[in-house]
Amino acid sequence: MRTLTKGRMWCYALGQLGWSIISGLTASWLVYFYQPDAAAKSDGMISLIPCGRAVLGLFTIVGLITAGGRIFDAVTDPLVGNWSDKCRSPLGRRIPFMKYSAIPLGIVFVLVFCAPVKAVSSINVVWLFVFLAAYYFAITCYCTPYTSLLAELTHTQDEKLRLSTCLSLTFIVGTSVGYAAPVIWGRFMAAGFGRIPAMRITFLILAVITTALMLVPVLTIKERDYCDSKPASSSVGVSLAKTLRNKDFRVFLIQDVIYFLGLTMFQTGLPFFVTSLLKFNESMSTLMFAGLTALSLVFYPFITRLARRTGKKKLIVLAFSFFMITFAFTGISGPDLGINIYIQAALIVMLGSFPLAVFGICPQAVVADIAQSDEIQSGESRSGMFYAARTFAMKFGQGAAMLIFTSLATIGSEAGQGLGYRIVAMSASLCCALGGVFMALFNEKRVLGIILGGRA
């Protein structure tokens, strides 16, 4: 098997740059687009679906649709993972799925934001429900096989960390582009476009770019040159059961659900924290995330070295602690805190940059370790199912977060003091505390001991 060169690593990572831009745009602006707050409406947004807690007095429609879409998406992860594990294409087990899902993903992403009625309408509700489900299925068909390749393209711990670092960099850049979208649609608004048409044009332009990026690894990497994995034979149910039987993976999966629950609540809330709590213009969210990105890059060389020296587990637990403090501080932020709001924004950026870098590099490598150790013990390569199960955890956490966020955000909205957003930030902080506790239970020594004892 050939060793993945630095150039091929970056070709592979460009695929993540593509889908992370789309994912970042959806996470950052979907709720903002369909459930605008007072500040957004004053800037030209209009409601396209009923807002407020319209379902049983507890949930918002956009919250239920996004949560339901995420749960549907999570359920399809094991199916796609199993299909990928069993694929017998001459192109490999993963590349064919990436090849045929990239373009549909770009198309349905744009359609999510193209509800046809320019007012509150049940037609828009149905439109969002259908195309959001299609979007989630398409991104599963690309991302689950894509992430599975991490465990198969790399053959040593150093290769895993290097490739994980490349992926982290492209993920951060991609997510940053998602937050930078207001800069782009602001230019269109300055040229005379309305806010919603300007946003849609922005999403269309970015969708074309991201689709091209997602096709880069398909066109430049010959999977069979780097992977010698044989197609699995287990059914989806049997394969999932075998995967979840791995105790170390179960512990990791629990903390992952909690992590994505907290992170998604904070990520979705950032534009609202900026405008409602810190009283900035929405473009400040772009500057803050750019700052997070730039500062996190400073930590990258230190994280890879520390991961080799102390292990990935300790770094992840420490990162949870930093996120816990960051989110809690955001929950109490605002002009009434007695600290200049620019200093508060800078503190949020500085506190959040280190854990952002850690979570960008380490968790992916941890899953690759678990998949490799399991293959050594079982003799069956099921990395697709391991990453599918991890993606299931991610999307379950994200779906629950969207449901919780859209409900909590309405608390005290009439008073205009942002009470609901403060509760969201504090809830995200609590999630990080719990995630750190569960990650501390992960037995990293056992996993690495199996790998060192005999490679698959």
Side-chain angles (χ1 to χ4, degrees), residues 36-293:
D37 62 2
K41 290 179 179 178
S42 68
D43 282 339
M45 290 295 294
I46 62 173
S47 297
L48 299 175
I49 63 175
C51 296
R53 287 176 284 179
V55 183
L56 302 177
L58 297 172
F59 308 114
T60 65
I61 289 177
V62 68
L64 280 176
I65 291 176
T66 52
R70 273 299 186 188
I71 292 172
F72 164 77
D73 185 23
V75 170
T76 61
D77 279 321
L79 290 174
V80 174
N82 185 247
W83 295 339
S84 179
D85 280 343
K86 296 167 69 174
C87 181
R88 297 180 180 276
S89 169
L91 297 177
R93 299 194 296 172
R94 320 301 180 187
I95 293 295
F97 285 85
M98 296 159 56
K99 179 179 179 180
Y100 293 110
S101 60
I103 294 176
L105 173 55
I107 293 172
V108 294
F109 162 73
V110 174
L111 291 175
V112 164
F113 294 93
C114 292
V117 182
K118 298 180 180 179
V120 175
S121 171
S122 58
I123 294 176
N124 291 340
V125 174
V126 175
W127 179 280
L128 178 61
F129 175 81
V130 171
F131 285 104
L132 192 61
Y135 160 79
Y136 283 139
F137 181 70
I139 202 168
T140 294
C141 288
Y142 187 91
C143 291
T144 296
Y146 177 87
T147 52
S148 301
L149 274 175
L150 173 62
E152 299 170 350
L153 292 174
T154 55
H155 308 295
T156 67
Q157 285 294 308
D158 282 345
E159 287 179 10
K160 287 176 188 174
L161 285 171
R162 285 201 300 269
L163 186 54
S164 293
T165 300
C166 293
L167 293 176
S168 179
L169 286 167
T170 51
F171 181 79
I172 289 176
V173 172
T175 309
S176 299
V177 172
Y179 276 107
V183 176
I184 302 174
W185 71 59
R187 297 293 180 89
F188 286 108
M189 292 175 65
F193 288 87
R195 171 174 284 267
I196 290 180
M199 293 179 74
R200 287 171 173 166
I201 294 171
T202 299
F203 295 148
L204 175 60
I205 293 172
L206 292 174
V208 173
I209 295 172
T210 57
T211 300
L213 289 170
M214 286 189 289
L215 289 172
V216 170
V218 173
L219 300 174
T220 59
I221 294 178
K222 294 182 179 180
E223 184 180 336
R224 295 294 187 189
D225 289 349
Y226 303 94
C227 308
D228 191 28
S229 300
K230 297 178 181 179
S233 57
S234 301
S235 66
V236 61
V238 173
S239 180
L240 181 59
K242 289 180 180 178
T243 301
L244 295 179
R245 206 173 291 151
N246 187 305
K247 180 180 178 181
D248 300 305
F249 186 60
R250 290 201 305 271
V251 173
F252 178 83
L253 215 57
I254 293 171
Q255 68 81 33
D256 226 27
V257 171
I258 298 171
Y259 164 67
F260 281 109
L261 177 64
L263 180 68
T264 304
M265 282 196 289
F266 186 82
Q267 184 182 27
T268 304
L270 186 58
F272 300 101
F273 300 150
V274 167
T275 57
S276 294
L277 301 187
L278 293 171
K279 306 301 180 182
F280 287 116
N281 184 273
E282 66 179 15
S283 61
M284 186 63 176
S285 62
T286 301
L287 294 177
M288 288 181 67
F289 201 87
L292 276 166
T293 302

Side-chain angles (χ1 to χ4, degrees), residues 38 52-53 408-421:
R53 287 176 284 179
L408 292 180
T410 62
I411 297 175
S413 58
E414 297 82 4
Q417 299 300 313
L419 176 60
Y421 301 131

Side-chain angles (χ1 to χ4, degrees), residues 290-372:
L292 276 166
T293 302
L295 192 55
S296 69
L297 297 179
V298 175
F299 293 104
Y300 270 56
F302 302 100
I303 290 171
T304 53
R305 292 172 190 168
L306 284 172
R308 295 188 187 101
R309 184 177 302 175
T310 67
K312 298 177 278 291
K313 169 185 170 179
K314 291 181 180 179
L315 281 177
I316 293 175
V317 172
L318 182 61
F320 268 123
S321 300
F322 269 80
F323 263 151
M324 179 183 69
I325 296 170
T326 305
F327 298 167
F329 180 76
T330 303
I332 62 173
S333 65
D336 295 336
L337 189 60
I339 303 174
N340 183 279
I341 56 174
Y342 286 96
I343 294 177
Q344 292 182 50
L347 285 172
I348 292 171
V349 169
M350 288 188 288
L351 288 169
S353 58
F354 170 73
L356 185 65
V358 172
F359 279 104
I361 295 173
C362 293
Q364 295 250 47
V366 170
V367 179
D369 288 340
I370 295 172
Q372 185 178 359

